[in-house]
Amino acid sequence: MQYGLVHIAAGDLLRAEISSGSANGKRAKEYMEKGQLVSKEIVFMMVKERLLQSDSQENGWLLDGFPRRLSQATALKEIGFQPDIFILLEVAEDNLVERVVGRRLDPVTGRIYHIKYSPPETEEIAARLTQCFDDTEEMVKLRLQTHHQNVESVLSMYEDITIKINGMPPRKMFFLKLTKP
């Protein structure tokens, strides 16, 4: 990551747990197949373990897709993890669905592509791309319903440090420079 922060994506942690075939991974997959949020205990333990690793402790962290519930935000605070800033990307729902449904993973390199916005460089790469089982339009819309039910309570926890950013930038890209105090 450009600023040295450790990127901790809850979705990536969940998919890795599911791929491992662990008991928690199997339980998580059951929730995700129904379009529900995975139990707070499963997700929280994975995120907590990652936050406690030395690179996160030394370099700082960027949580992506977490917390999604007030109880998760409260639990983070209780173990001493309070963000300096909370960034909310605002994206129109139809664009969000398109972004997720078009996402593809290269199982060889781990790189994420998008069939429209960031297509693979070669036919060989394109042939091996996979779509996560929960990146279907139906599942994304179910996840969005759950998100809408929880977002305001999470934002209330961080209202003094929340910055809302339009996630639909013009063709020219913008960069937000974050610095440590």
Side-chain angles (χ1 to χ4, degrees):
M1 178 165 273
Q2 183 175 354
Y3 297 102
L5 300 171
V6 175
H7 180 217
I8 302 172
D12 291 347
L13 293 174
L14 283 168
R15 283 184 277 282
E17 194 72 22
I18 290 167
S19 292
S20 76
S22 71
N24 278 341
K26 290 174 184 172
R27 288 178 37 211
K29 186 174 182 179
E30 289 175 13
Y31 283 99
M32 293 169 75
E33 286 175 339
K34 296 175 187 172
Q36 300 173 342
L37 292 178
V38 176
S39 82
K40 67 178 185 173
E41 293 82 13
I42 294 172
V43 178
F44 181 73
M45 289 309 296
M46 288 188 307
V47 170
K48 177 183 171 185
E49 286 174 15
R50 188 63 187 96
L51 286 169
L52 291 172
Q53 290 179 13
S54 62
D55 60 341
S56 297
Q57 294 286 308
E58 293 167 11
N59 300 319
W61 38 268
L62 171 69
L63 287 179
D64 180 349
F66 188 90
R68 292 192 180 195
R69 296 180 180 152
L70 180 60
S71 60
Q72 292 172 331
T74 302
L76 270 179
K77 187 174 182 177
E78 288 172 357
I79 63 167
F81 289 96
Q82 177 67 24
D84 296 322
I85 187 171
F86 190 90
I87 299 172
L88 178 67
L89 290 176
E90 297 180 319
V91 179
E93 196 163 304
D94 57 333
N95 292 100
L96 190 58
V97 171
E98 178 186 32
R99 289 179 187 183
V100 175
V101 171
R103 184 169 56 186
R104 298 293 186 274
L105 169 70
D106 181 345
V108 173
T109 65
R111 181 171 172 196
I112 302 291
Y113 291 91
H114 190 279
I115 56 175
K116 180 177 178 182
Y117 301 115
S118 180
E121 299 86 7
T122 68
E123 288 299 319
E124 178 185 349
I125 295 171
R128 68 180 183 232
L129 296 181
T130 62
Q131 182 178 29
C132 293
F133 73 91
D134 61 331
D135 281 354
T136 64
E137 185 170 347
E138 179 184 13
M139 289 296 164
V140 173
K141 288 182 176 182
L142 283 171
R143 291 196 319 251
L144 283 169
Q145 286 176 355
T146 305
H147 166 78
H148 292 309
Q149 295 167 0
N150 290 283
V151 68
E152 290 304 320
S153 63
V154 173
L155 288 174
S156 71
M157 182 90 170
Y158 303 115
E159 64 186 338
D160 295 340
I161 59 169
T162 297
I163 295 176
K164 294 182 180 183
I165 297 176
N166 179 356
M168 299 297 300
R171 286 244 179 242
K172 294 179 184 174
M173 293 302 294
F174 65 89
F175 296 92
L176 175 65
K177 183 175 182 179
L178 302 176
T179 58
K180 293 182 182 179

